[in-house]
Amino acid sequence: MTKNFLWKLAIIVGITLFFLFGIFGVPKSFSRQGLLAAVSDHIHLGLDLSGGTHLILQVQVNDAVNVVAQNAMEVLKEQLRNRKIDYSDVTQPDQQNNPDHLVLKGMQPAARSDLLSIVQEKLPEYDVTGGPDNSWNLSMKPSSLSDLKTKAVGQAIETIRNRVDALGVSEPTIEQHGAGGQYQILVQLPGVDDFGRVKDLIQSTAMLEIKQSLGGPYPSEQAAMQDKGGIIPADAVLLPGHTMPGAESEGQAWYFVSRISAVSGKDLRDAQPSRDPNGQPSVTFSLTGDGGQRFFSFTSAHVGDSLAVVLDNKVQEVANIKEPIRDQGSISGGRMSEQQAKDLSMILRSGALPASIKYLSEETVGPSLGAESIRSGVQATVIGMVAVLIFMLIYYRGAGINADLALIMNLIILLGFLGWSSIAGVNIALTLPGIAGVILTVGMGVDSNVLIFERIREELRNGKTPPSAVEQGFSHAWITIVDTHVTTIVSAAILFIFGTGPVKGFATTLTFGLLANLFTAVFVSRFIFDWVLSRHQRGQALSI
């Protein structure tokens, strides 16, 4: 055997062993159970095969824009007061559809330069244009608005991932979905079928704020307004909440709290479930160094006043400040269960969502359905593979063995690729459409061999010698094989870019299967033909 044969054989054997390791690794035993366990450890199954929850979410990015706009309004009002500039009002005309658009009313034209200075220094993300009747329009710059919405989606993905990781889900998929302007997120949680709890954990904003309590509890919103003469103080907001222990009646109450927070969720360092002095479930939280220092300064200046713990714009707890507090606090009340305390602490640790979430698609796949899909998919693959192998042996005789070996190696490479992807942490799971991609790859492999073998037969009928017929068969069929494979790979790439998880699984297995087929149908099959011809006597016919 020449050196040319030896290095080709070494490449084929090395690639085969490499991908066999990707499939099996080092099995604990070579029994049937041991090999199956090794395969399941290396080739991870997708949601449709293992069971779990599939969600498509849409981030309501206008919520994030609205928060920034509200802050901009407060900054603008404060700066106008500091510069003693008269104005009548600052509003958001269309908070639903254009939350970034603000209108300043009643400011005289002489103050235009001061307004431009305020916006340039304090609100650089806004543009200012004049309007009718001494009004001024402030709109967020398109680039700033686009960046804000994109960051909202990215922050939502990170927050959801933190919450899902805390659930202990194995290999979840959490990524941006669809076109960029749709602001959608794909969430796939294999093995998770408690959809209600998952939904609550994902969509909860869990925005924590600690504010000064300025009045309450009031039995109703009307009673609270009457106590303040029908006008909410400029530095206060009216929020609903729970009645506190010791109240005459239980139910919802209303509180006036300061508009500005002493500390907020971004100042949290940790949150853990615990129990309050009455033995009821609660959540204990600690603050960062900077947050703790600000909290200490605030409580030092308000000893004897009341403090309100506000969660998602609802007062959870009100307590008197007996002494300065530095970096510890707790959330209790509301008849919190132990599971709710655990979930709330986990949500607080993961951070608040930047905007609310809308559910566009909700699917739950049971593990029994996934197991049935595996059986059906494997059965279809085995039956199809065996039928193809038998056909090639019958129709192409000795050359059929060549084709069968190439097809088997193609399957080894494809499954080994899936195994190595999990080893490398890329997380390419085998889905039910992915199994369809494997079956289609087998068909494409047969098609490639048929193109080559029929071309070789044609050259033999034209009187060519077997070596010449093999040479001409491969050289002429090569262009056609490449053309069909490239067009199919382009189609698979489009499916991967615009498809969801299972469709991406189909596109992935099909693409790599086609790349593997180019190697096996051309390089491996050609090597086998050359090796067979090297052992033939001169003039001996080729079995094809």
Side-chain angles (χ1 to χ4, degrees):
M1 188 176 292
T2 65
K3 290 184 178 180
N4 189 41
F5 280 129
L6 286 176
W7 73 259
K8 289 183 179 181
L9 179 63
I11 291 176
I12 294 171
V13 172
I15 290 176
T16 303
L17 293 177
F18 177 80
F19 285 106
L20 281 173
F21 183 84
I23 299 173
F24 299 102
V26 181
K28 296 180 180 178
S29 68
F30 288 90
S31 63
R32 182 174 179 272
Q33 291 78 8
L35 292 176
L36 288 176
V39 172
S40 63
D41 288 340
H42 287 77
I43 299 178
H44 295 144
L45 303 179
L47 185 73
D48 52 353
L49 298 180
S50 62
T53 301
H54 173 94
L55 306 170
I56 297 179
L57 317 175
Q58 186 177 55
V59 182
Q60 304 301 293
V61 292
N62 277 351
D63 290 352
V65 177
N66 188 54
V67 171
V68 174
Q70 292 285 342
N71 291 334
M73 289 175 63
E74 296 301 320
V75 170
L76 182 59
K77 290 178 182 178
E78 181 183 3
Q79 291 298 316
L80 291 173
R81 286 195 300 268
N82 292 341
R83 300 196 184 198
K84 296 180 173 55
I85 300 175
D86 293 330
Y87 68 97
S88 59
D89 198 8
V90 180
T91 62
Q92 284 178 285
D94 190 359
Q95 188 173 350
Q96 184 71 25
N97 300 312
N98 296 297
D100 66 302
H101 180 56
L102 308 178
V103 176
L104 171 62
K105 299 179 180 179
M107 190 191 79
Q108 296 301 316
R112 177 179 178 275
S113 59
D114 287 327
L115 176 61
L116 295 177
S117 176
I118 291 173
V119 172
Q120 184 177 1
E121 294 176 8
K122 302 296 182 179
L123 303 172
E125 68 274 16
Y126 277 85
D127 287 326
V128 182
T129 57
D133 301 326
N134 292 332
S135 67
W136 300 86
N137 298 312
L138 282 77
S139 296
M140 196 173 291
K141 296 176 181 177
S143 59
S144 299
L145 184 61
S146 176
D147 289 344
L148 177 59
K149 292 180 177 181
T150 302
K151 287 179 181 178
V153 176
Q155 185 181 342
I157 291 174
E158 195 62 32
T159 301
I160 292 172
R161 181 177 289 114
N162 290 337
R163 295 179 183 181
V164 169
D165 288 345
L167 284 174
V169 179
S170 176
E171 299 191 14
T173 298
I174 305 168
E175 58 189 25
Q176 191 164 347
H177 173 71
Q182 295 176 328
Y183 309 113
Q184 295 178 5
I185 300 175
L186 170 67
V187 179
Q188 292 182 328
L189 309 177
V192 176
D193 53 8
D194 187 357
F195 176 70
R197 185 182 175 213
V198 169
K199 188 174 182 179
D200 289 341
L201 290 176
I202 288 178
Q203 71 181 4
S204 175
T205 53
M207 185 170 64
L208 176 67
E209 297 173 285
I210 300 179
K211 300 172 176 282
Q212 183 181 358
S213 177
L214 302 176
Y218 299 99
S220 66
E221 189 174 3
Q222 292 75 13
M225 293 299 295
Q226 289 176 1
D227 185 59
K228 299 296 182 181
I231 300 175
I232 299 178
D235 60 345
V237 291
L238 182 61
L239 296 178
H242 302 291
T243 54
M244 298 302 119
E248 294 181 0
S249 61
E250 294 185 357
Q252 191 177 64
W254 293 83
Y255 299 83
F256 283 107
V257 298
S258 61
R259 186 178 295 273
I260 305 300
S261 302
V263 291
S264 61
K266 67 179 183 298
D267 299 306
L268 281 180
R269 183 178 63 204
D270 191 21
Q272 296 294 335
S274 60
R275 291 190 177 273
D276 63 16
N278 297 321
Q280 298 301 312
S282 65
V283 175
T284 300
F285 61 87
S286 58
L287 302 173
T288 61
D290 180 62
Q293 183 60 44
R294 284 188 284 109
F295 195 42
F296 178 77
S297 299
F298 175 82
T299 53
S300 297
H302 292 86
V303 172
D305 295 334
S306 295
L307 199 65
V309 177
V310 180
L311 186 66
D312 290 338
N313 288 323
K314 190 169 185 177
V315 177
Q316 292 289 125
E317 191 172 4
V318 174
N320 290 327
I321 305 174
K322 296 181 180 179
E323 59 184 13
I325 308 170
R326 186 172 295 276
D327 60 357
Q328 295 287 336
S330 66
I331 305 171
S332 61
R335 297 179 179 179
M336 191 184 303
S337 67
E338 290 191 15
Q339 186 62 60
Q340 288 173 330
K342 291 179 181 178
D343 290 346
L344 176 58
S345 62
M346 182 190 70
I347 293 170
L348 289 174
R349 288 195 303 270
S350 67
L353 285 169
S356 59
I357 297 293
K358 180 181 179 182
Y359 285 76
L360 301 181
S361 174
E362 308 169 2
E363 297 177 20
T364 302
V365 181
S368 59
L369 180 60
E372 178 61 30
S373 298
I374 295 173
R375 285 192 294 270
S376 300
V378 171
Q379 185 178 16
T381 303
V382 171
I383 292 174
M385 188 76 176
V386 170
V388 168
L389 294 178
I390 293 174
F391 169 79
M392 296 300 286
L393 285 173
I394 294 174
Y395 194 73
Y396 289 109
R397 293 174 288 180
I401 300 175
N402 182 335
D404 290 350
L405 290 175
L407 287 175
I408 292 172
M409 187 173 180
N410 191 359
L411 192 60
I412 291 173
I413 292 175
L414 179 53
L415 295 178
F417 162 73
L418 295 175
W420 274 109
S421 71
S422 63
I423 294 174
V426 180
N427 188 26
I428 299 177
L430 180 63
T431 62
L432 187 59
I435 294 178
V438 173
I439 298 173
L440 182 56
T441 298
V442 172
M444 292 289 289
V446 173
D447 179 66
S448 300
N449 282 285
V450 168
L451 285 173
I452 294 171
F453 292 177
E454 288 300 320
R455 187 71 188 194
I456 292 175
R457 279 182 169 182
E458 183 180 345
E459 295 296 334
L460 290 173
R461 286 194 294 267
N462 291 334
K464 296 287 182 65
T465 62
S468 178
V470 170
E471 174 69 29
Q472 292 297 315
F474 275 93
S475 62
H476 285 92
W478 165 250
I479 299 299
T480 303
I481 292 173
V482 170
D483 181 60
T484 57
H485 280 61
V486 168
T487 53
T488 308
I489 288 174
V490 170
S491 301
I494 294 173
L495 289 176
F496 184 86
I497 294 171
F498 296 103
T500 58
V503 176
K504 284 186 176 182
F506 171 79
T508 301
T509 55
L510 179 59
T511 299
F512 198 83
L514 292 173
L515 294 175
N517 185 57
L518 286 174
F519 171 74
T520 57
V522 178
F523 186 85
V524 176
S525 183
R526 178 64 184 271
F527 169 79
I528 295 175
F529 268 118
D530 290 344
W531 180 77
V532 170
L533 290 173
S534 69
R535 301 176 65 85
H536 275 197
Q537 300 295 326
R538 179 180 291 274
Q540 184 177 348
L542 184 65
S543 180
I544 188 172

